[in-house]
Amino acid sequence: MACAQEAPARREASEPGVKAAFLYKFASYVEWPASAFAGPNSPFVIGVLGAEEVASELERIVQGKSVHGHPAAMRRVKEGESLAGVHVLFVGRGLMNLRGILRGAQQPGTLLVTDVDRGLEMGSAINFVFADDRVGFEVSVEAAERNGLKISSRMLNVARRVVSR
Amino acid sequence: MTFQDHIRRSLRTRVMLLVLVTTVSALLLSGAGLVIYDLRSYERQWTNDMVATAEIVARASAPALAFNDRRTASGDLSVLRTRSRILGAALYTRDGELFATYQQPGMKIPFPDHPEPNGYSVAGDQMVVFRRVVENNEPIGTVYLRTLYRPYDRLRDYLTIIVGVMVASFAAAALFSGWLQSAVTRPILEVARVARDVREKRDYSLRAPKSTEDEIGELVDAFNEMLAEAGRRAEAMREADRRKDEFLATLAHELRNPLAPIRNALEILRLTKDDPERSRVAREMMERQLVQMVRLVDDLLDVSRITTGKLAVRKAVVDLQGIVRDAIETVRPFIEARRHVLDVRMDDEVIRVEADRTRLGQVFSNLLNNAAKYTHPGGRIELSVSREGSAAVVRVKDNGIGLAPESLGAIFEMFVQVDRSLERSQAGLGVGLTLARRLVELHEGDLQVASEGTGKGSQFTVRLPLALGNLAKDPAAAAEAATHPTSRRVLIADDNEDFAASLADLLSANGHDVRVVHDGQQALEVAPAFEPQVAFLDIGMPKVHGYELARRLRALPQTTRCVLVAVTGWGQEDDRRRARDAGFDRHLVKPVDPRQVAAIVEGY
C-alpha cells in the first residue's frame, strides 16, 4: 500500500498574507463569463472590504500580475460603494452588518469570499476556515453558480467542505 | 587436415559456412541496428513518458501546492502507486522546500534537499525527472520523480532473441546443407566413386546412378557416356592387341616353317654332290621355300606400309587381262598342288585400267591364293574378267569353306583369319585381304565379298574404273619385244660378290653383255667406256655409295640416259624417295625376282 507522508511543517506566513495569496489564487480556479469584463484589457479587480491587513498584502501580491489575461488589481471597497467591475469581493470578519452587505453584494460576475463561521450559509461562495494550524477554505458551488461563476473541480479537491445543490 | 583443407575439400562444409556466415552477419548487423534504434527510442519514449507523468502530477497537485494542502498533495502523489516502475516522487514548494513525498512500499529513497530545473538525468538503472509546477503562468513548485530505467533489460531480451534466431538459422543451415548434400554432393561423390572403381577394377560396364534430371543429372549422363566410350576404346585396344599377338605367333611360325626344308635340302646337297637329279630336286625345294619366305617378308613390309599409311601405287595405263594372266601364273603351282579346277573367262576385248601393274597383280594373286587355300582339295575356282558399264570387274569364285554372314565384314581387318584349323603351312599372315582391299582402294576401286554361308563357297569382286585413253604401247610391238629380246649392256655394282655374280650369270644366260664391279669407284671408271644401257647399283657400297654413284653417272654424257636401278635391302617409301631423288629410275628390294630383272632389262 502506498504511503504518503507530509513533509515537515514550515513556519506559517502571517495569516493575512496567506489569505491575500489565496484570494489571488482563487481567481485561477474560477471561470468568469466574458460579460464580466468591459474589454480585453480591462482589469481583473479583487475588492477588499473591511480587512486592511489583507488589502495591503494583496496590493503587494497583485503588483504586475494578471488573471485570465487581464491585469490584476486590488481595490479597497467601502460599505455602500458600487461593486460594479469587482470580480472577487473579500468581506472581512469585523463588519457589523455582514449579512446585509453580503446580500447587497450578490450580483452576477462577483465571487464573494468571507472569513466567518457559517459564511457559506450567509451567501458567500468561499469561506476561510482555520483548522489544523493552517488556513483552509470551504466552497459553495451553488452560491458561485448563482452569480454565473464556475469553480474548477481541481480547487474543490483542496477545499475542506464543498456545498453543492 | 587443417581447417582450410577441410573447407577446400568439402562442398557441404563450404555451403554450410556460406549459409552461416550470411545468416550470422545479417542477424548481427540487423540486430545491432535494431538494438541501437530501440535503445534510443526506448530512452526517448521512457523520458517522454516520465515527463508526461511529471506534468500530470504537477497539474494535479498544483491546487494542493497553491493552497498549501499537504494532505491532498500526498494523496495526489500516492496515485503513482499504480506505476510500479516509479520508485518515488516528491513535491517542492516554490521556495524549494520539500512539500510532499511518495515512495514505493519497501523503498527507502533519499529525496534531494532542493529541486533542480526542468529536465531528467540517468544514474545507474534509475532516472530522475524534475518538472516545474506552473499555475496561471507562475511557478508554484516542482515535481520530482525517480523511476527505474533499465535499457539493458531490453538489450538482454534482444540478445536472447538474436541467439534464438541464430540457433534456428544454424539448424536451418544444417538441414539445408544436408538436403544440398543429397541433391548435389552425393551424386557427385557417387560419380567420383564410380570413376575410382573403374580405374581400379578396369570394369567399364560400371555406371553412375542418375537420380535427378538437373545439371547434376546431365553430368552423370555425360560421365556414363564417357565411360561407355572409354570401354569401347579399351575393348578395341584389347582386340587389336590380341590380333597383334596372334600375328606375331603366326609370323614366327611362318618364318620358321621354310627353314626346316631348306636345312634338309642343304644336307641333301652336301650328301648327294654326285647325283644331279637329287641335287636339282633339293634346289627346287629350296627355291620354293625361299619364294615363300620372300613373300612373307614382302607381306610384312606391306603390313608396315598399311599401318603407317605409306602404301603407295605408281599408276600407268595397263591391260587388265595381262595382269590377271600374270597373277594366274604366279598362283598356278599352288592351285595345281591342291588339285583345284581353275575356270578362267576373259573378255576378248582388251580392258585398260590405270594401275600399278605389280600391286594390282598382287591383289589378284592374293584373291586366287585365298580361294585355293580356303577350298578343300579338288575344288573349283572360277575367275572372270569383264567390262560392266564404265567399270572393269574381276570375280574370283570358289566352292570352298565359305563365310558365315557375321564374318563378312571382319575378314578385311588386319591379321584376321577366319579358319585357324587350316594347315599352318598354308596359313600366311592374315594380311592378304587387308592389303588387297587397300590396294584396290588406292586404284579408286572397291573389293567386295559375298558368301551364302559356311560351306557354300565365297565370291570376291574387284571393281576398277576404266582407263580413259588407249593402251600406251602398241600391243604388237610389246609382244615383239617380249619374244625377241635384244642384247643390252648391263653394269652391276654390288659389294656382295655372290649376289653380283648370280645376277650377272642370270643376265648373261639371257644373252646380255654384263660387267660386274664391287664398288662405286670401279663403276665410275668402267662406265664411260662401257656405256651401260642398264645399271644395277647397290646402295650400301664402299668408296662411293649408291646415291652418289647415281648422281655422278647421271652427270656423265655416256650414261646420262642409262636406266639406273637401285638394289637394296630396304624397301620403305622413304628409301624409294631418296633413290628417286638421286636419279634412280627403278628400285628393287633384295632378294630380287629374276623375272623382274629380266623385265627391266628387256623393257628398256
Side-chain angles (χ1 to χ4, degrees):
Chain A
M1 184 200 133
C3 107
Q5 69 178 43
E6 291 189 14
R10 60 160 183 142
R11 197 187 61 81
E12 283 290 329
S14 69
E15 195 180 312
V18 172
K19 286 175 180 165
F22 277 27
L23 282 173
Y24 166 69
K25 285 173 182 172
F26 289 149
S28 302
Y29 298 97
V30 180
E31 236 176 82
W32 274 264
S35 61
F37 299 94
N41 294 320
S42 58
F44 180 89
V45 180
I46 305 174
V48 179
L49 177 60
E52 181 47 38
E53 281 174 279
V54 172
S56 58
E57 284 286 343
L58 186 59
E59 190 168 34
R60 193 177 48 81
I61 288 171
V62 299
Q63 195 70 47
K65 299 275 174 60
S66 66
V67 175
H68 298 310
H70 298 271
M74 193 286 298
R75 194 166 118 196
R76 291 187 174 79
V77 181
K78 298 209 167 50
E79 234 184 292
E81 222 179 78
S82 162
L83 292 174
V86 175
H87 299 93
V88 178
L89 179 64
F90 175 63
V91 183
R93 69 173 74 182
L95 294 168
M96 298 297 293
N97 187 20
L98 186 59
R99 210 170 279 264
I101 291 170
L102 286 177
R103 224 179 354 259
Q106 294 289 359
Q107 61 172 15
T110 300
L111 178 76
L112 289 178
V113 182
T114 53
D115 186 18
V116 290
D117 282 350
R118 303 180 56 78
L120 294 186
E121 282 69 22
M122 284 187 275
S124 73
I126 300 172
N127 185 45
F128 286 118
V129 291
F130 191 85
D132 302 336
D133 201 27
R134 72 182 186 91
V135 177
F137 57 90
E138 47 189 20
V139 178
S140 165
V141 177
E142 190 186 358
E145 285 181 351
R146 214 165 34 232
N147 288 346
L149 305 173
K150 276 188 184 164
I151 297 180
S152 164
S153 60
R154 294 169 64 223
M155 195 177 98
L156 300 183
N157 282 341
V158 196
R160 297 290 171 86
R161 185 166 71 98
V162 177
V163 176
S164 53
R165 266 180 299 187
Chain B
M1 184 158 56
T2 67
F3 183 58
Q4 274 92 350
D5 283 344
H6 186 66
I7 288 176
R8 216 173 52 233
R9 287 181 191 172
S10 168
L11 189 59
R12 181 187 184 186
T13 311
R14 257 189 317 214
V15 167
M16 191 153 169
L17 210 63
L18 178 75
V19 171
L20 288 183
V21 165
T22 312
T23 313
V24 168
S25 36
L27 271 175
L28 286 181
L29 278 176
S30 62
L34 277 174
V35 165
I36 290 170
Y37 172 78
D38 189 79
L39 285 181
R40 294 175 67 133
S41 72
Y42 173 76
E43 182 187 340
R44 195 165 53 239
Q45 192 187 338
W46 189 247
T47 308
N48 287 345
D49 190 27
M50 282 306 110
V51 169
T53 304
E55 186 65 38
I56 290 167
V57 169
R59 183 149 175 80
S61 27
L65 267 173
F67 300 109
N68 193 27
D69 187 342
R70 290 165 188 269
R71 194 185 302 276
T72 305
S74 294
D76 288 344
L77 289 183
S78 69
V79 172
L80 293 173
R81 67 175 176 275
T82 56
R83 305 285 303 266
S84 61
R85 297 194 124 197
I86 295 180
L87 302 172
L91 280 173
Y92 293 85
T93 63
R94 188 170 71 169
D95 303 328
E97 283 180 61
L98 197 57
F99 185 68
T101 59
Y102 155 81
Q103 53 192 345
Q104 239 183 39
M107 293 298 292
K108 199 76 187 165
I109 56 168
F111 293 102
D113 292 337
H114 300 287
E116 291 168 22
N118 272 359
Y120 67 89
S121 58
V122 174
D125 65 345
Q126 297 186 356
M127 179 187 270
V128 166
V129 179
F130 286 98
R131 193 77 192 165
R132 285 273 169 278
V133 182
V134 176
E135 192 73 282
N136 194 25
N137 296 326
E138 288 174 44
I140 57 171
T142 304
V143 173
Y144 165 83
L145 286 182
R146 178 184 279 263
T147 77
L148 280 178
Y149 176 70
R150 286 184 174 158
Y152 302 106
D153 288 5
R154 286 180 80 82
L155 196 60
R156 198 189 54 223
D157 291 349
Y158 267 107
L159 287 178
T160 309
I161 290 172
I162 286 174
V163 167
V165 173
M166 272 189 197
V167 168
S169 314
F170 277 108
L175 278 176
F176 178 65
S177 65
W179 169 81
L180 197 78
Q181 191 198 21
S182 66
V184 178
T185 53
R186 191 174 300 150
I188 289 176
L189 288 177
E190 192 66 15
V191 167
R193 188 188 60 75
V194 171
R196 205 167 39 242
D197 283 356
V198 167
R199 205 172 58 234
E200 282 167 5
K201 299 178 188 163
R202 302 260 163 226
D203 180 358
Y204 290 96
S205 66
L206 291 175
R207 291 290 178 272
K210 183 184 180 185
S211 52
T212 54
E213 294 296 328
D214 55 7
E215 293 87 339
I216 304 287
E218 271 181 48
L219 173 73
V220 172
D221 278 347
F223 174 76
N224 285 339
E225 280 163 26
M226 197 184 71
L227 267 188
E229 177 63 25
R232 276 193 294 276
R233 291 200 184 180
E235 182 54 39
M237 281 174 69
R238 262 202 299 279
E239 176 62 21
D241 258 11
R242 191 183 57 73
R243 275 202 244 130
K244 219 157 224 175
D245 287 347
E246 280 174 9
F247 167 73
L248 283 176
T250 310
L251 178 64
H253 190 269
E254 291 295 302
L255 284 175
R256 206 171 180 284
N257 254 346
L259 294 180
I262 288 175
R263 182 189 271 166
N264 292 344
L266 281 171
E267 189 63 16
I268 292 167
L269 280 180
R270 196 174 62 82
L271 294 174
T272 61
K273 269 184 227 141
D274 305 326
D275 187 338
E277 181 52 26
R278 291 182 67 185
S279 295
R280 188 184 60 78
V281 170
R283 264 201 317 278
E284 281 172 4
M285 182 165 65
M286 286 170 71
E287 218 172 276
R288 278 197 304 278
Q289 296 302 330
L290 190 67
V291 165
Q292 173 74 1
M293 284 190 83
V294 167
R295 220 189 69 221
L296 280 173
V297 175
D298 282 346
D299 278 356
L300 262 185
L301 288 173
D302 286 337
V303 166
S304 149
R305 286 185 199 117
I306 289 175
T307 47
T308 54
K310 283 176 180 165
L311 191 63
V313 291
R314 272 198 281 176
K315 288 188 266 188
V317 176
V318 294
D319 97 79
L320 186 58
Q321 284 97 330
I323 297 174
V324 172
R325 261 185 228 109
D326 284 354
I328 291 171
E329 289 319 307
T330 312
V331 189
R332 193 184 289 284
F334 181 49
I335 293 175
E336 284 170 357
R338 304 237 339 141
R339 290 179 279 105
H340 295 313
V341 173
L342 178 62
D343 178 10
V344 181
R345 292 177 193 184
M346 293 204 219
D347 281 4
D348 291 337
E349 186 198 351
V350 172
I351 300 172
R352 285 151 199 161
V353 291
E354 218 173 320
D356 185 316
R357 178 178 276 276
T358 320
R359 288 306 197 176
L360 203 53
Q362 203 177 347
V363 170
F364 300 134
S365 55
N366 270 348
L367 292 180
L368 282 170
N369 203 60
N370 240 34
K373 198 198 303 186
Y374 291 109
T375 301
H376 296 298
R380 180 180 176 83
I381 299 173
E382 291 171 25
L383 185 147
S384 69
V385 180
S386 60
R387 181 174 163 168
E388 295 178 9
S390 62
V393 179
V394 178
R395 285 196 179 83
V396 179
K397 190 179 176 192
D398 61 55
N399 60 352
I401 61 172
L403 289 161
E406 62 271 15
S407 325
L408 285 178
I411 57 162
F412 292 111
E413 307 250 328
M414 188 87 81
F415 313 135
V416 167
Q417 286 175 317
V418 172
D419 190 349
R420 311 211 135 262
S421 66
L422 273 177
E423 216 181 319
R424 290 274 16 157
S425 63
Q426 299 168 11
L429 294 178
V431 296
L433 285 175
T434 314
L435 185 61
R437 172 170 263 193
R438 187 79 198 108
L439 285 171
V440 171
E441 282 167 1
L442 286 172
H443 285 89
E444 279 92 44
D446 71 48
L447 169 57
Q448 299 294 338
V449 65
S451 173
E452 291 180 359
T454 311
K456 294 185 177 168
S458 45
Q459 172 175 308
F460 288 86
T461 306
V462 177
R463 281 169 192 281
L464 293 166
L466 289 171
L468 292 175
N470 285 319
L471 205 56
K473 289 194 288 183
D474 181 38
E480 180 84 7
T483 49
H484 300 288
T486 45
S487 173
R488 309 283 183 207
R489 289 186 301 282
V490 180
L491 174 64
I492 298 172
D494 199 314
D495 60 337
N496 183 332
E497 296 185 10
D498 289 344
F499 173 74
S502 61
L503 190 59
D505 285 352
L506 184 74
L507 291 171
S508 300
N510 283 337
H512 299 293
D513 180 5
V514 184
R515 290 283 175 86
V516 175
V517 294
H518 297 306
D519 64 49
Q521 189 59 47
Q522 286 178 15
L524 284 173
E525 285 162 9
V526 166
F530 182 54
E531 290 187 40
Q533 290 160 303
V534 181
F536 290 93
L537 309 175
D538 185 22
I539 296 298
M541 272 187 304
K543 296 185 182 168
V544 179
H545 63 68
Y547 298 129
E548 179 60 27
L549 181 54
R551 263 188 290 276
R552 296 225 205 142
L553 287 177
R554 274 277 176 263
L556 287 175
Q558 295 88 345
T559 51
T560 188
R561 294 174 56 80
C562 177
V563 174
L564 299 179
V565 182
V567 183
T568 73
W570 302 104
Q572 301 284 11
E573 183 53 38
D574 202 39
D575 304 308
R576 291 177 187 275
R577 191 182 46 72
R578 278 191 71 189
R580 267 202 304 281
D581 292 348
F584 281 107
D585 296 300
R586 302 293 301 268
H587 187 276
L588 292 180
V589 180
K590 287 176 184 174
V592 296
D593 181 346
R595 278 182 299 172
Q596 221 175 350
V597 170
I600 289 170
V601 173
E602 280 149 28
Y604 165 73

